[in-house]
Amino acid sequence: QMNKRKSIVWLVVAAVVIVLAAAFGFAPRFAIGKADDFCSALNLIELSSDFKAGAEYVIYTANEYYTDVYGNYTDKEGNVVDEDDKVAIDAEDLNKSLEKAAEIMKKRLELLSAKDIKVTVLDGKAIRVECVQANSSTSSTIFKSFVSNRGVVTVKVLDTEPKDGVDYSAYEDVLSVDKFEFAQAGSDSQRTYGIYFAFKGDGAVLISKATADASSSKTLYVTLLLDGNLIGYTSVTSPIQSNSTYFAITGISSYDKATQVALDMQTGSFDADFAKEHLVIRDLGAAMGEDAASKLFLVLAIIFAVAVVVMIVLYGLNGLAAALSLLLFATLTVFMVAFIPASTFGFESFIGAVVGLMFGIAAQFILLENVARQYNKLGRSRLDAIKDGSKKAFRINLGACVAAVFAAVFTAILLPELVGFAMTVLYSVIASAICSMAVSRGMLMLVRSASDNDKAYGYKRQQN
């Protein structure tokens, strides 16, 4: 009686621990990416682009005539001309400009942490940008900025307070893009937006010379311009030190605008001038969407549930012990995929998860069947049946695990495009080895004295 009570108590304790671990792996919602109130391991798995809400394609058409940063038509030398006298850019120069613009677009999106970026020059006349939406609230602003400005950022020092709509082309450029080492948007407690940037090369020396006349009686204005238009400025009443490292220019209208300008400062400007209109397409064929990801993970849950039901029906309490071990196996696998990511989780990773789950289920059934055989056919006691059955299952599962590990490693090395599949299988095999070779045996030991009835364990002793 005491053994029964202890077995039940320890089984309940083990079940609670495993269920709690599973809660941190899967709770509170099954659908990935939709649990804002609780960040389980499942929600931390980074989905690949084929599971995103749709890759974004934006097509930018270039103006095929020479223009300046103000939108005026020019000749090849940059002199403003009437629209009737506009000069067409030859195909080779236009293609070079687009290739440069494509590189800059990619750099800006990379700085926004966009993923799976593809920037392509189309027929030497347009650029197509394809990426998974950047992890930033300003990403749509950046996409629009590709057609609203070239990104020519300059710093000028003025002796009068700057105003919008004024032409500052007569003032000398103090700093240009090659003098900026780093730039970042920011704001202060008064919600004033600005750009914080580091000097590069002799940038600090140049701005120190430009502000040498600043004093308490003479205010100078360090002014930030984007494509010749006023963005923000900072007033100074003393010279900026020539050994300065950082500087800030404030008064920018919004954080989005500050972020856009910071990206321009770090990546440089376009030579090409893009048309105002652009086309956005959602490619629903290539990108299955997060709903598809949720449905595919639901498939895994159904496979798991069916296996658990079959285990319990065929093997009773032994099946329940194996089911708890299988739940721990699934939890460990999810934790490894979430916290040791070798790649983003895509469709090939899902296939690997299916293979890994089937591997884990098979390992549990091999153990259960060997234990049952020891008791039913060979007449062992319950304790000996578990010990001897576990030993035989251990040898079988160990060989299978070693073979699967080698297969996964070689797949990852020889077929890099299938690394998601290989690593998911590898994680599953490791979790299966832990659970089927160690945890399951312990769980079977816990339940062996919980009932005196052989049928409760799916046992049916065969008479010799």
Side-chain angles (χ1 to χ4, degrees), residues 153-203:
V153 179
T154 55
V155 172
K156 299 175 184 287
V157 175
L158 313 180
D159 53 10
T160 58
E161 186 172 0
K163 295 181 180 179
D164 290 325
V166 176
D167 183 2
Y168 294 104
S169 58
Y171 288 85
E172 182 181 354
D173 293 345
V174 176
L175 298 178
S176 54
V177 68
D178 60 327
K179 305 301 180 183
F180 305 130
E181 178 70 31
F182 168 81
Q184 182 175 342
S187 62
D188 57 23
S189 57
Q190 283 75 41
R191 305 294 293 173
T192 300
Y193 303 103
I195 297 289
Y196 302 85
F197 59 90
F199 295 112
K200 181 180 179 181
D202 60 347

Side-chain angles (χ1 to χ4, degrees), residues 42-48 52 115 135 337 341 343-346:
L42 189 65
N43 294 318
L44 293 176
I45 295 176
E46 187 176 1
L47 296 177
S48 179
K52 293 296 179 181
K115 302 182 184 303
N135 297 327
V337 173
S343 64
T344 53
F345 196 95

Side-chain angles (χ1 to χ4, degrees), residues 176-250:
S176 54
V177 68
D178 60 327
K179 305 301 180 183
F180 305 130
E181 178 70 31
F182 168 81
Q184 182 175 342
S187 62
D188 57 23
S189 57
Q190 283 75 41
R191 305 294 293 173
T192 300
Y193 303 103
I195 297 289
Y196 302 85
F197 59 90
F199 295 112
K200 181 180 179 181
D202 60 347
V205 174
L206 292 175
I207 202 166
S208 178
K209 291 180 179 179
T211 59
D213 294 337
S215 65
S216 57
S217 58
K218 183 178 182 179
T219 301
L220 296 180
Y221 302 89
V222 182
T223 306
L224 184 69
L225 302 172
L226 175 63
D227 293 337
N229 298 312
L230 177 65
I231 294 296
Y233 65 89
T234 295
S235 58
V236 294
T237 56
S238 61
I240 297 172
Q241 299 298 312
S242 59
N243 60 351
S244 299
T245 304
Y246 294 97
F247 191 73
I249 294 181
T250 57

